[in-house]
Amino acid sequence: MSHSFTPYISFPGNADAAFHHYQEVFGGELEIGHYGDFPTDGFPFTPPADAVSHAQLHGGLVTLAGGDAIAEDGQPLAPLESQVYSFLIGLDTVPEAERLIATLTAAGATVTMPFAVAPWGDHYGQVTDRFGVLWALVVPGAH
């Protein structure tokens, strides 16, 4: 039996834009479906046809899944933004991490913690992207 772990993000109505953005930033193959792509008879609410029912990005720097979080009244849920979680990306070199940070910030991310040598010896930093998702980046130091 094989195992996998894929973080799932529930977006407040902007999953389509978020997943296309993540594909541009992280690369990989994007599979995306909308509620309008299939019958929704029997759903407890009527989702907007253009809302994302499920998306998955795989084969690039990250693997992610998600969709639009729709309330029972058919309205998107509140915007994301949390310091409770982050997604940690391990990179091989400092220049590689700096390029990724530059790509994210050029696309609207905010540096939450500057990328620098941490007390434990690794390079570490954080950015919050324009969708409210917190990304932590680490490059192992010489231990």
Side-chain angles (χ1 to χ4, degrees):
M1 176 201 278
S2 69
H3 300 277
S4 68
F5 173 80
T6 303
Y8 187 98
I9 305 172
S10 294
F11 288 91
N14 58 355
D16 194 275
F19 273 92
H20 282 96
H21 169 71
Y22 294 145
Q23 184 183 31
E24 287 179 26
V25 171
F26 301 122
E29 299 292 321
L30 177 60
E31 299 169 21
I32 193 162
H34 298 86
Y35 284 103
D37 296 338
F38 58 88
T40 56
D41 299 341
F43 271 48
F45 59 91
T46 303
D50 62 344
V52 174
S53 58
H54 182 74
Q56 184 155 353
L57 179 64
H58 52 87
L61 185 58
V62 301
T63 298
L64 288 175
D68 284 317
I70 308 296
E72 288 185 23
D73 63 3
Q75 297 299 309
L77 297 181
L80 294 174
E81 186 113 6
S82 175
Q83 299 297 317
V84 175
Y85 70 90
S86 64
F87 297 114
L88 180 65
I89 299 175
L91 298 157
D92 293 327
T93 68
V94 169
E96 185 180 19
E98 289 171 338
R99 280 191 301 274
L100 181 55
I101 292 167
T103 299
L104 286 163
T105 56
T110 302
V111 173
T112 310
M113 178 183 290
F115 187 71
V117 177
W120 59 88
D122 295 342
H123 274 81
Y124 179 84
Q126 299 176 344
V127 297
T128 300
D129 71 23
R130 69 182 196 223
F131 299 100
V133 175
L134 182 62
W135 297 94
L137 295 93
V138 64
V139 174
H143 297 282

